PDB file of all heavy atoms in Angstrom:
ATOM      1  N   GLY N   1     -18.780 232.478 170.544  1.00  0.00           N
ATOM      2  CA  GLY N   1     -19.313 231.539 171.523  1.00  0.00           C
ATOM      3  C   GLY N   1     -18.276 230.939 172.446  1.00  0.00           C
ATOM      4  O   GLY N   1     -18.552 230.696 173.630  1.00  0.00           O
ATOM      5  N   HIS N   2     -17.057 230.697 171.927  1.00  0.00           N
ATOM      6  CA  HIS N   2     -16.045 230.102 172.811  1.00  0.00           C
ATOM      7  C   HIS N   2     -15.637 231.086 173.903  1.00  0.00           C
ATOM      8  O   HIS N   2     -15.260 230.669 175.009  1.00  0.00           O
ATOM      9  CB  HIS N   2     -14.846 229.601 172.001  1.00  0.00           C
ATOM     10  CG  HIS N   2     -13.774 230.605 171.721  1.00  0.00           C
ATOM     11  ND1 HIS N   2     -13.914 231.591 170.769  1.00  0.00           N
ATOM     12  CD2 HIS N   2     -12.538 230.777 172.285  1.00  0.00           C
ATOM     13  CE1 HIS N   2     -12.796 232.309 170.737  1.00  0.00           C
ATOM     14  NE2 HIS N   2     -11.957 231.849 171.645  1.00  0.00           N
ATOM     15  N   LEU N   3     -15.763 232.380 173.622  1.00  0.00           N
ATOM     16  CA  LEU N   3     -15.504 233.380 174.654  1.00  0.00           C
ATOM     17  C   LEU N   3     -16.710 233.572 175.560  1.00  0.00           C
ATOM     18  O   LEU N   3     -16.570 233.707 176.781  1.00  0.00           O
ATOM     19  CB  LEU N   3     -15.098 234.706 174.005  1.00  0.00           C
ATOM     20  CG  LEU N   3     -13.699 234.683 173.370  1.00  0.00           C
ATOM     21  CD1 LEU N   3     -13.515 235.840 172.413  1.00  0.00           C
ATOM     22  CD2 LEU N   3     -12.613 234.692 174.447  1.00  0.00           C
ATOM     23  N   ALA N   4     -17.912 233.555 174.981  1.00  0.00           N
ATOM     24  CA  ALA N   4     -19.132 233.665 175.794  1.00  0.00           C
ATOM     25  C   ALA N   4     -19.185 232.559 176.839  1.00  0.00           C
ATOM     26  O   ALA N   4     -19.569 232.788 177.997  1.00  0.00           O
ATOM     27  CB  ALA N   4     -20.363 233.609 174.903  1.00  0.00           C
ATOM     28  N   LEU N   5     -18.812 231.352 176.440  1.00  0.00           N
ATOM     29  CA  LEU N   5     -18.813 230.219 177.369  1.00  0.00           C
ATOM     30  C   LEU N   5     -17.855 230.488 178.535  1.00  0.00           C
ATOM     31  O   LEU N   5     -18.190 230.224 179.706  1.00  0.00           O
ATOM     32  CB  LEU N   5     -18.411 228.954 176.609  1.00  0.00           C
ATOM     33  CG  LEU N   5     -18.359 227.651 177.387  1.00  0.00           C
ATOM     34  CD1 LEU N   5     -19.716 227.339 178.018  1.00  0.00           C
ATOM     35  CD2 LEU N   5     -17.926 226.510 176.465  1.00  0.00           C
ATOM     36  N   GLN N   6     -16.699 231.058 178.228  1.00  0.00           N
ATOM     37  CA  GLN N   6     -15.732 231.349 179.291  1.00  0.00           C
ATOM     38  C   GLN N   6     -16.233 232.456 180.211  1.00  0.00           C
ATOM     39  O   GLN N   6     -16.058 232.380 181.437  1.00  0.00           O
ATOM     40  CB  GLN N   6     -14.392 231.732 178.664  1.00  0.00           C
ATOM     41  CG  GLN N   6     -13.734 230.583 177.905  1.00  0.00           C
ATOM     42  CD  GLN N   6     -12.456 231.014 177.214  1.00  0.00           C
ATOM     43  OE1 GLN N   6     -11.442 231.291 177.869  1.00  0.00           O
ATOM     44  NE2 GLN N   6     -12.480 231.069 175.889  1.00  0.00           N
ATOM     45  N   TYR N   7     -16.893 233.472 179.655  1.00  0.00           N
ATOM     46  CA  TYR N   7     -17.419 234.543 180.509  1.00  0.00           C
ATOM     47  C   TYR N   7     -18.552 234.014 181.385  1.00  0.00           C
ATOM     48  O   TYR N   7     -18.666 234.405 182.557  1.00  0.00           O
ATOM     49  CB  TYR N   7     -17.899 235.714 179.665  1.00  0.00           C
ATOM     50  CG  TYR N   7     -16.777 236.438 178.940  1.00  0.00           C
ATOM     51  CD1 TYR N   7     -16.855 236.699 177.582  1.00  0.00           C
ATOM     52  CD2 TYR N   7     -15.634 236.835 179.625  1.00  0.00           C
ATOM     53  CE1 TYR N   7     -15.815 237.344 176.916  1.00  0.00           C
ATOM     54  CE2 TYR N   7     -14.590 237.477 178.970  1.00  0.00           C
ATOM     55  CZ  TYR N   7     -14.688 237.723 177.615  1.00  0.00           C
ATOM     56  OH  TYR N   7     -13.663 238.354 176.969  1.00  0.00           O
ATOM     57  N   ALA N   8     -19.384 233.141 180.844  1.00  0.00           N
ATOM     58  CA  ALA N   8     -20.464 232.578 181.651  1.00  0.00           C
ATOM     59  C   ALA N   8     -19.896 231.812 182.843  1.00  0.00           C
ATOM     60  O   ALA N   8     -20.438 231.871 183.953  1.00  0.00           O
ATOM     61  CB  ALA N   8     -21.337 231.658 180.793  1.00  0.00           C
ATOM     62  N   ARG N   9     -18.795 231.118 182.628  1.00  0.00           N
ATOM     63  CA  ARG N   9     -18.152 230.396 183.730  1.00  0.00           C
ATOM     64  C   ARG N   9     -17.534 231.374 184.728  1.00  0.00           C
ATOM     65  O   ARG N   9     -17.586 231.159 185.944  1.00  0.00           O
ATOM     66  CB  ARG N   9     -17.090 229.438 183.187  1.00  0.00           C
ATOM     67  CG  ARG N   9     -17.669 228.348 182.282  1.00  0.00           C
ATOM     68  CD  ARG N   9     -16.621 227.330 181.862  1.00  0.00           C
ATOM     69  NE  ARG N   9     -16.293 226.454 182.976  1.00  0.00           N
ATOM     70  CZ  ARG N   9     -15.056 226.180 183.369  1.00  0.00           C
ATOM     71  NH1 ARG N   9     -14.023 226.740 182.763  1.00  0.00           N
ATOM     72  NH2 ARG N   9     -14.840 225.358 184.379  1.00  0.00           N
ATOM     73  N   ILE N  10     -16.939 232.466 184.227  1.00  0.00           N
ATOM     74  CA  ILE N  10     -16.382 233.492 185.122  1.00  0.00           C
ATOM     75  C   ILE N  10     -17.486 234.086 185.993  1.00  0.00           C
ATOM     76  O   ILE N  10     -17.277 234.365 187.184  1.00  0.00           O
ATOM     77  CB  ILE N  10     -15.679 234.586 184.296  1.00  0.00           C
ATOM     78  CG1 ILE N  10     -14.386 234.045 183.689  1.00  0.00           C
ATOM     79  CG2 ILE N  10     -15.385 235.817 185.156  1.00  0.00           C
ATOM     80  CD1 ILE N  10     -13.738 234.974 182.674  1.00  0.00           C
ATOM     81  N   PHE N  11     -18.681 234.259 185.407  1.00  0.00           N
ATOM     82  CA  PHE N  11     -19.813 234.808 186.153  1.00  0.00           C
ATOM     83  C   PHE N  11     -20.388 233.813 187.151  1.00  0.00           C
ATOM     84  O   PHE N  11     -21.269 234.159 187.928  1.00  0.00           O
ATOM     85  CB  PHE N  11     -20.911 235.240 185.185  1.00  0.00           C
ATOM     86  CG  PHE N  11     -20.641 236.549 184.468  1.00  0.00           C
ATOM     87  CD1 PHE N  11     -19.363 236.964 184.170  1.00  0.00           C
ATOM     88  CD2 PHE N  11     -21.688 237.350 184.077  1.00  0.00           C
ATOM     89  CE1 PHE N  11     -19.107 238.148 183.511  1.00  0.00           C
ATOM     90  CE2 PHE N  11     -21.467 238.550 183.409  1.00  0.00           C
ATOM     91  CZ  PHE N  11     -20.164 238.950 183.132  1.00  0.00           C
ATOM     92  N   GLY N  12     -19.915 232.576 187.114  1.00  0.00           N
ATOM     93  CA  GLY N  12     -20.340 231.578 188.084  1.00  0.00           C
ATOM     94  C   GLY N  12     -21.539 230.754 187.682  1.00  0.00           C
ATOM     95  O   GLY N  12     -22.114 230.045 188.511  1.00  0.00           O
ATOM     96  N   ALA N  13     -21.923 230.810 186.409  1.00  0.00           N
ATOM     97  CA  ALA N  13     -23.127 230.109 185.960  1.00  0.00           C
ATOM     98  C   ALA N  13     -22.846 228.651 185.596  1.00  0.00           C
ATOM     99  O   ALA N  13     -21.721 228.287 185.240  1.00  0.00           O
ATOM    100  CB  ALA N  13     -23.722 230.822 184.750  1.00  0.00           C
ATOM    101  N   GLU N  14     -23.888 227.842 185.683  1.00  0.00           N
ATOM    102  CA  GLU N  14     -23.880 226.500 185.104  1.00  0.00           C
ATOM    103  C   GLU N  14     -24.057 226.682 183.595  1.00  0.00           C
ATOM    104  O   GLU N  14     -24.950 227.403 183.155  1.00  0.00           O
ATOM    105  CB  GLU N  14     -25.034 225.683 185.678  1.00  0.00           C
ATOM    106  CG  GLU N  14     -25.174 224.281 185.103  1.00  0.00           C
ATOM    107  CD  GLU N  14     -26.394 223.559 185.659  1.00  0.00           C
ATOM    108  OE1 GLU N  14     -27.009 224.079 186.626  1.00  0.00           O
ATOM    109  OE2 GLU N  14     -26.745 222.496 185.127  1.00  0.00           O
ATOM    110  N   THR N  15     -23.197 226.061 182.788  1.00  0.00           N
ATOM    111  CA  THR N  15     -23.167 226.375 181.364  1.00  0.00           C
ATOM    112  C   THR N  15     -23.664 225.236 180.485  1.00  0.00           C
ATOM    113  O   THR N  15     -23.378 224.062 180.743  1.00  0.00           O
ATOM    114  CB  THR N  15     -21.747 226.761 180.927  1.00  0.00           C
ATOM    115  OG1 THR N  15     -20.837 225.719 181.311  1.00  0.00           O
ATOM    116  CG2 THR N  15     -21.323 228.072 181.572  1.00  0.00           C
ATOM    117  N   ILE N  16     -24.393 225.627 179.444  1.00  0.00           N
ATOM    118  CA  ILE N  16     -24.893 224.695 178.436  1.00  0.00           C
ATOM    119  C   ILE N  16     -24.412 225.194 177.080  1.00  0.00           C
ATOM    120  O   ILE N  16     -24.725 226.317 176.677  1.00  0.00           O
ATOM    121  CB  ILE N  16     -26.429 224.629 178.436  1.00  0.00           C
ATOM    122  CG1 ILE N  16     -26.968 224.333 179.833  1.00  0.00           C
ATOM    123  CG2 ILE N  16     -26.924 223.596 177.426  1.00  0.00           C
ATOM    124  CD1 ILE N  16     -28.453 224.618 179.979  1.00  0.00           C
ATOM    125  N   ALA N  17     -23.628 224.387 176.379  1.00  0.00           N
ATOM    126  CA  ALA N  17     -23.098 224.761 175.071  1.00  0.00           C
ATOM    127  C   ALA N  17     -23.854 224.004 173.986  1.00  0.00           C
ATOM    128  O   ALA N  17     -24.087 222.795 174.108  1.00  0.00           O
ATOM    129  CB  ALA N  17     -21.613 224.449 174.991  1.00  0.00           C
ATOM    130  N   VAL N  18     -24.213 224.717 172.920  1.00  0.00           N
ATOM    131  CA  VAL N  18     -24.961 224.112 171.812  1.00  0.00           C
ATOM    132  C   VAL N  18     -24.248 224.418 170.499  1.00  0.00           C
ATOM    133  O   VAL N  18     -23.862 225.561 170.244  1.00  0.00           O
ATOM    134  CB  VAL N  18     -26.399 224.657 171.738  1.00  0.00           C
ATOM    135  CG1 VAL N  18     -27.167 224.000 170.604  1.00  0.00           C
ATOM    136  CG2 VAL N  18     -27.124 224.447 173.058  1.00  0.00           C
ATOM    137  N   ASP N  19     -24.077 223.402 169.673  1.00  0.00           N
ATOM    138  CA  ASP N  19     -23.517 223.618 168.340  1.00  0.00           C
ATOM    139  C   ASP N  19     -23.937 222.461 167.434  1.00  0.00           C
ATOM    140  O   ASP N  19     -24.672 221.559 167.865  1.00  0.00           O
ATOM    141  CB  ASP N  19     -21.993 223.757 168.388  1.00  0.00           C
ATOM    142  CG  ASP N  19     -21.466 224.640 167.262  1.00  0.00           C
ATOM    143  OD1 ASP N  19     -21.418 224.161 166.098  1.00  0.00           O
ATOM    144  OD2 ASP N  19     -21.145 225.813 167.519  1.00  0.00           O
ATOM    145  N   VAL N  20     -23.478 222.533 166.179  1.00  0.00           N
ATOM    146  CA  VAL N  20     -23.876 221.529 165.187  1.00  0.00           C
ATOM    147  C   VAL N  20     -22.669 220.912 164.486  1.00  0.00           C
ATOM    148  O   VAL N  20     -22.821 220.224 163.484  1.00  0.00           O
ATOM    149  CB  VAL N  20     -24.825 222.132 164.131  1.00  0.00           C
ATOM    150  CG1 VAL N  20     -26.157 222.517 164.756  1.00  0.00           C
ATOM    151  CG2 VAL N  20     -24.196 223.322 163.419  1.00  0.00           C
ATOM    152  N   THR N  21     -21.458 221.161 164.993  1.00  0.00           N
ATOM    153  CA  THR N  21     -20.271 220.558 164.402  1.00  0.00           C
ATOM    154  C   THR N  21     -19.469 219.854 165.479  1.00  0.00           C
ATOM    155  O   THR N  21     -19.399 220.305 166.628  1.00  0.00           O
ATOM    156  CB  THR N  21     -19.375 221.603 163.702  1.00  0.00           C
ATOM    157  OG1 THR N  21     -18.886 222.529 164.673  1.00  0.00           O
ATOM    158  CG2 THR N  21     -20.156 222.359 162.633  1.00  0.00           C
ATOM    159  N   ASP N  22     -18.831 218.753 165.097  1.00  0.00           N
ATOM    160  CA  ASP N  22     -18.103 217.939 166.068  1.00  0.00           C
ATOM    161  C   ASP N  22     -16.959 218.710 166.719  1.00  0.00           C
ATOM    162  O   ASP N  22     -16.729 218.589 167.926  1.00  0.00           O
ATOM    163  CB  ASP N  22     -17.550 216.680 165.389  1.00  0.00           C
ATOM    164  CG  ASP N  22     -18.662 215.733 164.931  1.00  0.00           C
ATOM    165  OD1 ASP N  22     -19.775 215.814 165.480  1.00  0.00           O
ATOM    166  OD2 ASP N  22     -18.405 214.918 164.013  1.00  0.00           O
ATOM    167  N   ASP N  23     -16.222 219.520 165.912  1.00  0.00           N
ATOM    168  CA  ASP N  23     -15.070 220.211 166.489  1.00  0.00           C
ATOM    169  C   ASP N  23     -15.487 221.280 167.487  1.00  0.00           C
ATOM    170  O   ASP N  23     -14.833 221.484 168.517  1.00  0.00           O
ATOM    171  CB  ASP N  23     -14.184 220.804 165.385  1.00  0.00           C
ATOM    172  CG  ASP N  23     -14.922 221.790 164.499  1.00  0.00           C
ATOM    173  OD1 ASP N  23     -16.158 221.707 164.416  1.00  0.00           O
ATOM    174  OD2 ASP N  23     -14.246 222.640 163.885  1.00  0.00           O
ATOM    175  N   LYS N  24     -16.617 221.975 167.217  1.00  0.00           N
ATOM    176  CA  LYS N  24     -17.077 223.000 168.163  1.00  0.00           C
ATOM    177  C   LYS N  24     -17.619 222.361 169.442  1.00  0.00           C
ATOM    178  O   LYS N  24     -17.447 222.910 170.540  1.00  0.00           O
ATOM    179  CB  LYS N  24     -18.152 223.872 167.508  1.00  0.00           C
ATOM    180  CG  LYS N  24     -17.736 224.530 166.203  1.00  0.00           C
ATOM    181  CD  LYS N  24     -16.699 225.602 166.420  1.00  0.00           C
ATOM    182  CE  LYS N  24     -16.221 226.196 165.097  1.00  0.00           C
ATOM    183  NZ  LYS N  24     -17.290 226.745 164.286  1.00  0.00           N
ATOM    184  N   LEU N  25     -18.262 221.221 169.315  1.00  0.00           N
ATOM    185  CA  LEU N  25     -18.748 220.519 170.504  1.00  0.00           C
ATOM    186  C   LEU N  25     -17.572 220.042 171.351  1.00  0.00           C
ATOM    187  O   LEU N  25     -17.604 220.116 172.582  1.00  0.00           O
ATOM    188  CB  LEU N  25     -19.634 219.346 170.085  1.00  0.00           C
ATOM    189  CG  LEU N  25     -20.936 219.729 169.356  1.00  0.00           C
ATOM    190  CD1 LEU N  25     -21.591 218.500 168.747  1.00  0.00           C
ATOM    191  CD2 LEU N  25     -21.901 220.428 170.309  1.00  0.00           C
ATOM    192  N   ALA N  26     -16.509 219.571 170.669  1.00  0.00           N
ATOM    193  CA  ALA N  26     -15.305 219.149 171.387  1.00  0.00           C
ATOM    194  C   ALA N  26     -14.646 220.341 172.069  1.00  0.00           C
ATOM    195  O   ALA N  26     -14.155 220.233 173.207  1.00  0.00           O
ATOM    196  CB  ALA N  26     -14.329 218.477 170.426  1.00  0.00           C
ATOM    197  N   LEU N  27     -14.642 221.497 171.394  1.00  0.00           N
ATOM    198  CA  LEU N  27     -14.067 222.700 171.983  1.00  0.00           C
ATOM    199  C   LEU N  27     -14.837 223.107 173.238  1.00  0.00           C
ATOM    200  O   LEU N  27     -14.237 223.503 174.246  1.00  0.00           O
ATOM    201  CB  LEU N  27     -14.080 223.834 170.957  1.00  0.00           C
ATOM    202  CG  LEU N  27     -13.577 225.201 171.440  1.00  0.00           C
ATOM    203  CD1 LEU N  27     -12.133 225.112 171.931  1.00  0.00           C
ATOM    204  CD2 LEU N  27     -13.710 226.237 170.328  1.00  0.00           C
ATOM    205  N   ALA N  28     -16.171 223.001 173.186  1.00  0.00           N
ATOM    206  CA  ALA N  28     -16.988 223.341 174.347  1.00  0.00           C
ATOM    207  C   ALA N  28     -16.625 222.464 175.545  1.00  0.00           C
ATOM    208  O   ALA N  28     -16.515 222.947 176.682  1.00  0.00           O
ATOM    209  CB  ALA N  28     -18.468 223.196 174.009  1.00  0.00           C
ATOM    210  N   ARG N  29     -16.426 221.185 175.282  1.00  0.00           N
ATOM    211  CA  ARG N  29     -16.037 220.288 176.379  1.00  0.00           C
ATOM    212  C   ARG N  29     -14.658 220.673 176.913  1.00  0.00           C
ATOM    213  O   ARG N  29     -14.428 220.694 178.127  1.00  0.00           O
ATOM    214  CB  ARG N  29     -16.035 218.846 175.892  1.00  0.00           C
ATOM    215  CG  ARG N  29     -17.414 218.312 175.496  1.00  0.00           C
ATOM    216  CD  ARG N  29     -17.384 216.826 175.157  1.00  0.00           C
ATOM    217  NE  ARG N  29     -18.688 216.367 174.699  1.00  0.00           N
ATOM    218  CZ  ARG N  29     -19.053 216.301 173.432  1.00  0.00           C
ATOM    219  NH1 ARG N  29     -18.189 216.656 172.471  1.00  0.00           N
ATOM    220  NH2 ARG N  29     -20.253 215.889 173.101  1.00  0.00           N
ATOM    221  N   GLU N  30     -13.735 220.991 176.001  1.00  0.00           N
ATOM    222  CA  GLU N  30     -12.377 221.375 176.403  1.00  0.00           C
ATOM    223  C   GLU N  30     -12.379 222.626 177.271  1.00  0.00           C
ATOM    224  O   GLU N  30     -11.573 222.758 178.200  1.00  0.00           O
ATOM    225  CB  GLU N  30     -11.536 221.609 175.145  1.00  0.00           C
ATOM    226  CG  GLU N  30     -10.098 222.003 175.407  1.00  0.00           C
ATOM    227  CD  GLU N  30      -9.341 222.334 174.127  1.00  0.00           C
ATOM    228  OE1 GLU N  30      -9.802 221.944 173.034  1.00  0.00           O
ATOM    229  OE2 GLU N  30      -8.305 223.014 174.226  1.00  0.00           O
ATOM    230  N   LEU N  31     -13.317 223.548 176.979  1.00  0.00           N
ATOM    231  CA  LEU N  31     -13.386 224.799 177.719  1.00  0.00           C
ATOM    232  C   LEU N  31     -14.198 224.684 179.013  1.00  0.00           C
ATOM    233  O   LEU N  31     -14.384 225.673 179.719  1.00  0.00           O
ATOM    234  CB  LEU N  31     -13.975 225.903 176.829  1.00  0.00           C
ATOM    235  CG  LEU N  31     -13.091 226.327 175.652  1.00  0.00           C
ATOM    236  CD1 LEU N  31     -13.841 227.282 174.733  1.00  0.00           C
ATOM    237  CD2 LEU N  31     -11.793 226.963 176.140  1.00  0.00           C
ATOM    238  N   GLY N  32     -14.707 223.483 179.298  1.00  0.00           N
ATOM    239  CA  GLY N  32     -15.326 223.248 180.589  1.00  0.00           C
ATOM    240  C   GLY N  32     -16.826 223.415 180.665  1.00  0.00           C
ATOM    241  O   GLY N  32     -17.373 223.598 181.760  1.00  0.00           O
ATOM    242  N   ALA N  33     -17.531 223.340 179.526  1.00  0.00           N
ATOM    243  CA  ALA N  33     -18.992 223.438 179.565  1.00  0.00           C
ATOM    244  C   ALA N  33     -19.566 222.327 180.442  1.00  0.00           C
ATOM    245  O   ALA N  33     -19.124 221.179 180.380  1.00  0.00           O
ATOM    246  CB  ALA N  33     -19.569 223.354 178.159  1.00  0.00           C
ATOM    247  N   ASP N  34     -20.567 222.673 181.243  1.00  0.00           N
ATOM    248  CA  ASP N  34     -21.189 221.669 182.121  1.00  0.00           C
ATOM    249  C   ASP N  34     -22.064 220.703 181.331  1.00  0.00           C
ATOM    250  O   ASP N  34     -22.184 219.528 181.702  1.00  0.00           O
ATOM    251  CB  ASP N  34     -22.026 222.378 183.193  1.00  0.00           C
ATOM    252  CG  ASP N  34     -21.170 223.216 184.117  1.00  0.00           C
ATOM    253  OD1 ASP N  34     -20.272 222.642 184.773  1.00  0.00           O
ATOM    254  OD2 ASP N  34     -21.374 224.435 184.177  1.00  0.00           O
ATOM    255  N   HIS N  35     -22.682 221.188 180.276  1.00  0.00           N
ATOM    256  CA  HIS N  35     -23.526 220.353 179.417  1.00  0.00           C
ATOM    257  C   HIS N  35     -23.240 220.734 177.973  1.00  0.00           C
ATOM    258  O   HIS N  35     -23.106 221.923 177.649  1.00  0.00           O
ATOM    259  CB  HIS N  35     -25.019 220.577 179.712  1.00  0.00           C
ATOM    260  CG  HIS N  35     -25.360 220.523 181.173  1.00  0.00           C
ATOM    261  ND1 HIS N  35     -25.571 219.344 181.853  1.00  0.00           N
ATOM    262  CD2 HIS N  35     -25.524 221.525 182.090  1.00  0.00           C
ATOM    263  CE1 HIS N  35     -25.850 219.606 183.119  1.00  0.00           C
ATOM    264  NE2 HIS N  35     -25.829 220.923 183.287  1.00  0.00           N
ATOM    265  N   VAL N  36     -23.158 219.750 177.087  1.00  0.00           N
ATOM    266  CA  VAL N  36     -22.891 219.992 175.672  1.00  0.00           C
ATOM    267  C   VAL N  36     -23.975 219.303 174.852  1.00  0.00           C
ATOM    268  O   VAL N  36     -24.204 218.099 174.992  1.00  0.00           O
ATOM    269  CB  VAL N  36     -21.500 219.463 175.264  1.00  0.00           C
ATOM    270  CG1 VAL N  36     -21.261 219.678 173.777  1.00  0.00           C
ATOM    271  CG2 VAL N  36     -20.411 220.148 176.076  1.00  0.00           C
ATOM    272  N   LEU N  37     -24.672 220.084 174.016  1.00  0.00           N
ATOM    273  CA  LEU N  37     -25.788 219.559 173.227  1.00  0.00           C
ATOM    274  C   LEU N  37     -25.499 219.705 171.742  1.00  0.00           C
ATOM    275  O   LEU N  37     -25.035 220.751 171.279  1.00  0.00           O
ATOM    276  CB  LEU N  37     -27.076 220.309 173.574  1.00  0.00           C
ATOM    277  CG  LEU N  37     -27.549 220.229 175.024  1.00  0.00           C
ATOM    278  CD1 LEU N  37     -28.820 221.052 175.212  1.00  0.00           C
ATOM    279  CD2 LEU N  37     -27.786 218.777 175.444  1.00  0.00           C
ATOM    280  N   ASP N  38     -25.804 218.638 171.004  1.00  0.00           N
ATOM    281  CA  ASP N  38     -25.656 218.608 169.549  1.00  0.00           C
ATOM    282  C   ASP N  38     -27.023 218.864 168.929  1.00  0.00           C
ATOM    283  O   ASP N  38     -27.911 218.001 168.986  1.00  0.00           O
ATOM    284  CB  ASP N  38     -25.110 217.245 169.120  1.00  0.00           C
ATOM    285  CG  ASP N  38     -24.800 217.168 167.636  1.00  0.00           C
ATOM    286  OD1 ASP N  38     -25.311 218.010 166.869  1.00  0.00           O
ATOM    287  OD2 ASP N  38     -24.059 216.248 167.239  1.00  0.00           O
ATOM    288  N   ALA N  39     -27.210 220.053 168.362  1.00  0.00           N
ATOM    289  CA  ALA N  39     -28.523 220.423 167.827  1.00  0.00           C
ATOM    290  C   ALA N  39     -28.908 219.615 166.600  1.00  0.00           C
ATOM    291  O   ALA N  39     -30.062 219.641 166.178  1.00  0.00           O
ATOM    292  CB  ALA N  39     -28.540 221.921 167.492  1.00  0.00           C
ATOM    293  N   ARG N  40     -27.965 218.872 166.021  1.00  0.00           N
ATOM    294  CA  ARG N  40     -28.293 218.017 164.877  1.00  0.00           C
ATOM    295  C   ARG N  40     -29.102 216.801 165.303  1.00  0.00           C
ATOM    296  O   ARG N  40     -29.947 216.306 164.546  1.00  0.00           O
ATOM    297  CB  ARG N  40     -27.010 217.536 164.180  1.00  0.00           C
ATOM    298  CG  ARG N  40     -26.171 218.621 163.555  1.00  0.00           C
ATOM    299  CD  ARG N  40     -24.815 218.079 163.127  1.00  0.00           C
ATOM    300  NE  ARG N  40     -24.037 217.574 164.269  1.00  0.00           N
ATOM    301  CZ  ARG N  40     -22.782 217.136 164.181  1.00  0.00           C
ATOM    302  NH1 ARG N  40     -22.163 217.155 163.003  1.00  0.00           N
ATOM    303  NH2 ARG N  40     -22.146 216.698 165.253  1.00  0.00           N
ATOM    304  N   THR N  41     -28.837 216.318 166.504  1.00  0.00           N
ATOM    305  CA  THR N  41     -29.440 215.061 166.937  1.00  0.00           C
ATOM    306  C   THR N  41     -30.290 215.185 168.192  1.00  0.00           C
ATOM    307  O   THR N  41     -30.960 214.225 168.575  1.00  0.00           O
ATOM    308  CB  THR N  41     -28.337 214.011 167.203  1.00  0.00           C
ATOM    309  OG1 THR N  41     -27.450 214.515 168.217  1.00  0.00           O
ATOM    310  CG2 THR N  41     -27.538 213.740 165.930  1.00  0.00           C
ATOM    311  N   GLN N  42     -30.246 216.344 168.843  1.00  0.00           N
ATOM    312  CA  GLN N  42     -30.982 216.512 170.091  1.00  0.00           C
ATOM    313  C   GLN N  42     -31.963 217.674 169.987  1.00  0.00           C
ATOM    314  O   GLN N  42     -31.708 218.660 169.287  1.00  0.00           O
ATOM    315  CB  GLN N  42     -30.012 216.759 171.255  1.00  0.00           C
ATOM    316  CG  GLN N  42     -29.105 215.581 171.571  1.00  0.00           C
ATOM    317  CD  GLN N  42     -28.057 215.928 172.612  1.00  0.00           C
ATOM    318  OE1 GLN N  42     -27.052 216.574 172.291  1.00  0.00           O
ATOM    319  NE2 GLN N  42     -28.271 215.505 173.865  1.00  0.00           N
ATOM    320  N   ASP N  43     -33.081 217.533 170.682  1.00  0.00           N
ATOM    321  CA  ASP N  43     -34.049 218.623 170.800  1.00  0.00           C
ATOM    322  C   ASP N  43     -33.544 219.543 171.907  1.00  0.00           C
ATOM    323  O   ASP N  43     -33.694 219.253 173.091  1.00  0.00           O
ATOM    324  CB  ASP N  43     -35.429 218.050 171.141  1.00  0.00           C
ATOM    325  CG  ASP N  43     -36.513 219.124 171.207  1.00  0.00           C
ATOM    326  OD1 ASP N  43     -36.194 220.276 171.564  1.00  0.00           O
ATOM    327  OD2 ASP N  43     -37.682 218.797 170.924  1.00  0.00           O
TER     328      ASP N  43
END
């Protein structure tokens, strides 16, 4: 997923990252995800 997120950005897409652990959500933000969702607490 951390690579998929980077390829989606290379392709020019608006990106939404979803995970259930704090460190992976932090990694998504570090890698530049436009939106980050925590599936533990969000629909």
